[in-house]
């Protein structure tokens, strides 16, 4: 087998600087999972529809399966692990647990990253707005109601108007 | 679902990108937001040998306005267009339509140039550009040209762009103060591609030109003469009969009747909005 073209990527992942040589066709999702062992980012469809691979790139949520690791060179990436460590999604995680908003858990990292993005930009989202935000994320277990409940709970507990 | 092997190029400026494209021609593909190209590559529906990533080319980014038109760089992402005050004031129809494009995470990467170059018949942005008589700006190593949108879409995901051309931007006329529009689409779920959509944009630039576009129906978005003829008049039933014929001519398969029902319903509602 002829050797495959590689490229050096340097980026920060959850605040830590990493530099690796990777094959140019490696997706950012695979890079996070296989090269860095950050398996919290899940890979469902690998073509942008399921949302399980959602991460933050320079502060904005994106599909990590639709980016090449090479494209993240110089960027700041945050994954569900980073958001967990910083405590940013602690209230969401608590609410997901309390409301049974996960069963198999496959969709959960993507849901949490997406919900955290909504809560950053919208103080008290309506249920309609919550549904709008997570319409980009598939869950094959819960039927979504519990997830909407959990996100609503996290939002309202945060603003203290309950 | 991994893409086939390719060579990766990341030019830092447009001349370098155009030189790469001139060198590799049909073996190369331009990578913009990747929200369509990466899935196509993952499914191996396309296997470029050379991938030319234009994301670091700053001259392709941003929104500028002069007296008559707004120019949007090809690499401007949907999210940026949604946040733009210039667009909200001068081309509100575009922002309204982009709210229907996919989801936030995808709009953070997807670009207006990518959407036009892809020319998906169900996509909102190409349809809006058609409704607003936009002009596509394309450049090759040999020079730049402006393509009127009416001659840009050639067929299913086929455009006037040549193999060695990069779409560098799109010029959209500013709306006249009195201009109104109606944008309606039907999608099965939020963020999905439209089953069908209708756009009415009479007199956008102040000249009394009626433009009406149907999208998600057939190989490209198209202007409906039936609707354009009817705008601003009392609508008779035969307008919708003529519209159904146009849909049947565009679709040519078993979905024609379904599409015709959606399109006529959307058109009725759109007409009512402008009445
Ligand atoms: C889950 C999901 C849902 C979606 N839903 C919708 C929807 O509802 N409506 C909608 O309109 N779109 C939708 N999209 C597609 C999205 O809008 C894409 O971003 C867009 O169609 C392509 O833009 P891009 O910048 O990502 O282009 P890319 O994927 O990078 O490129 C697309 C094509 O255009 C070419 N190209 C890109 N830029 C240029 C350029 N400057 N010059 C020449 N050629 C170029 C590429 O070579 C490629 O062939 C969806 C995508 C996903 C993943
Ligand atoms: S794995 Fe990325 S969206 Fe499904
Ligand atoms: S909990 Fe199983 S997919 Fe959502």
């Amino acid at each position: 087998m002829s050797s495959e073209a590689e490229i050096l990527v340097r980026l920060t992942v959850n605040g830590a600087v990493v530099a690796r040589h990777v094959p140019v066709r490696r997706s950012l999702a695979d890079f996070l999972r296989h090269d860095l062992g950050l398996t919290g980012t899940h890979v469902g469809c690998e073509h942008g529809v399921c949302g399980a691979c959602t991460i933050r790139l320079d502060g904005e949520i994106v599909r990590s399966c639709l980016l090449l690791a090479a494209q993240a060179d110089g960027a700041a990436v945050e994954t569900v692990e980073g958001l967990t460590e910083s405590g940013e999604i602690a209230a969401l995680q608590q609410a997901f647990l309390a409301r049974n908003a996960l069963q198999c858990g496959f969709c959960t990292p993507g849901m949490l990253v997406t919900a955290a993005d909504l809560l950053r930009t919208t103080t008290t989202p309506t249920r309609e707005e919550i549904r709008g935000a997570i319409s980009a994320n598939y869950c094959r277990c819960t039927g979504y109601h519990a997830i909407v409940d959990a996100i609503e709970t996290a939002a309202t507990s945060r603003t203290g108007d309950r | 679902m991994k893409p086939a092997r390719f060579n990766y190029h990341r030019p830092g400026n447009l001349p370098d990108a155009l030189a790469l494209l001139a060198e590799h021609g049909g073996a190369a593909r331009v990578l913009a937001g990747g929200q369509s190209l990466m899935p196509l590559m993952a499914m191996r529906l396309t296997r470029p040998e050379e991938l030319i990533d234009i994301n670091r080319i700053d001259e392709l980014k941003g929104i500028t306005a002069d007296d008559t038109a707004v120019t949007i760089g090809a690499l401007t992402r949907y999210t940026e267009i949604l946040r733009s005050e210039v667009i909200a004031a001068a081309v509100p129809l575009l922002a309204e339509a982009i709210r229907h494009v996919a989801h936030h995470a995808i709009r953070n990467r997807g670009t207006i140039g990518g959407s036009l170059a892809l020319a998906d018949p169900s996509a909102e942005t190409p349809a809006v550009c058609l409704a607003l008589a936009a002009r596509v700006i394309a450049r090759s190593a040999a020079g730049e040209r402006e393509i009127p949108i009416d001659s840009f879409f050639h067929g299913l995901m086929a455009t006037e762009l040549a193999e060695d051309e990069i779409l560098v931007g799109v010029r959209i006329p500013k709306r006249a103060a009195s201009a109104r529009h109606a944008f309606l689409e039907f999608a099965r779920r939020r963020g999905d591609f439209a089953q069908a959509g209708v756009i009415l944009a009479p007199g956008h630039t102040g000249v009394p030109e009626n433009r009406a576009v149907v999208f998600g129906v057939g190989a490209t978005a198209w202007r409906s003469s039936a609707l354009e003829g009817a705008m601003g008049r009392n609508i008779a039933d035969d307008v919708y009969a003529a519209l159904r014929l146009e849909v049947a001519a565009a679709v040519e398969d078993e979905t024609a009747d379904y599409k015709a029902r959606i399109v006529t319903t959307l058109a009725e509602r759109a007409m009512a909005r402008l009445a």
Side-chain angles (χ1 to χ4, degrees), chain A residues 100-108 111 138-144 147:
Chain A
N100 265 338
L102 64 154
Q103 289 175 29
C104 79
F106 193 84
C107 68
T108 313
M111 288 287 180
Y138 285 6
C139 175
R140 301 291 75 164
C141 304
T142 64
Y144 301 100
I147 297 177

Side-chain angles (χ1 to χ4, degrees), chain B residues 17-170:
Chain B
L18 292 170
L20 282 164
L21 211 49
E23 182 187 340
H24 297 291
R29 268 305 189 69
V30 169
L31 174 64
Q35 304 301 290
S36 296
L37 185 54
M38 293 309 297
L40 290 169
M41 286 170 59
M43 293 184 262
R44 304 215 174 180
L45 294 171
T46 178
R47 299 164 171 248
E49 285 163 34
E50 314 291 328
L51 196 62
I52 305 175
D53 179 356
I54 60 172
N55 282 274
R56 307 267 162 131
I57 305 181
D58 288 338
E59 54 203 292
L60 293 177
K61 299 176 188 167
I63 300 167
T64 54
D66 59 27
D67 288 348
T68 56
V70 171
T71 303
I72 307 174
L75 204 62
T76 311
R77 305 194 196 275
Y78 294 122
T79 299
E80 198 183 325
I81 297 172
L82 283 177
R83 288 176 184 160
S84 160
E85 284 169 19
V86 174
I87 297 295
V91 200
L93 169 57
L94 181 62
E96 183 178 339
I98 288 178
R99 288 194 190 94
H100 295 266
V101 176
H103 313 275
H104 186 52
I106 287 155
R107 293 193 297 261
N108 281 339
R109 292 299 299 176
T111 68
I112 189 165
S115 180
L116 285 165
L118 185 73
D120 187 303
S122 305
E124 288 81 359
T125 315
V128 167
C129 289
L130 185 59
L132 298 184
R135 297 175 77 82
V136 174
I137 309 162
R139 203 180 295 173
S140 72
E144 186 170 290
R145 62 177 176 140
E146 265 192 36
I147 307 160
I149 197 78
D150 285 312
S151 51
F152 184 71
F153 303 111
H154 283 189
L156 187 66
M157 297 184 165
T159 71
E160 166 69 18
L161 281 182
E163 262 177 11
D164 63 346
E165 277 182 319
I166 288 182
L167 196 164
V168 294
V170 59

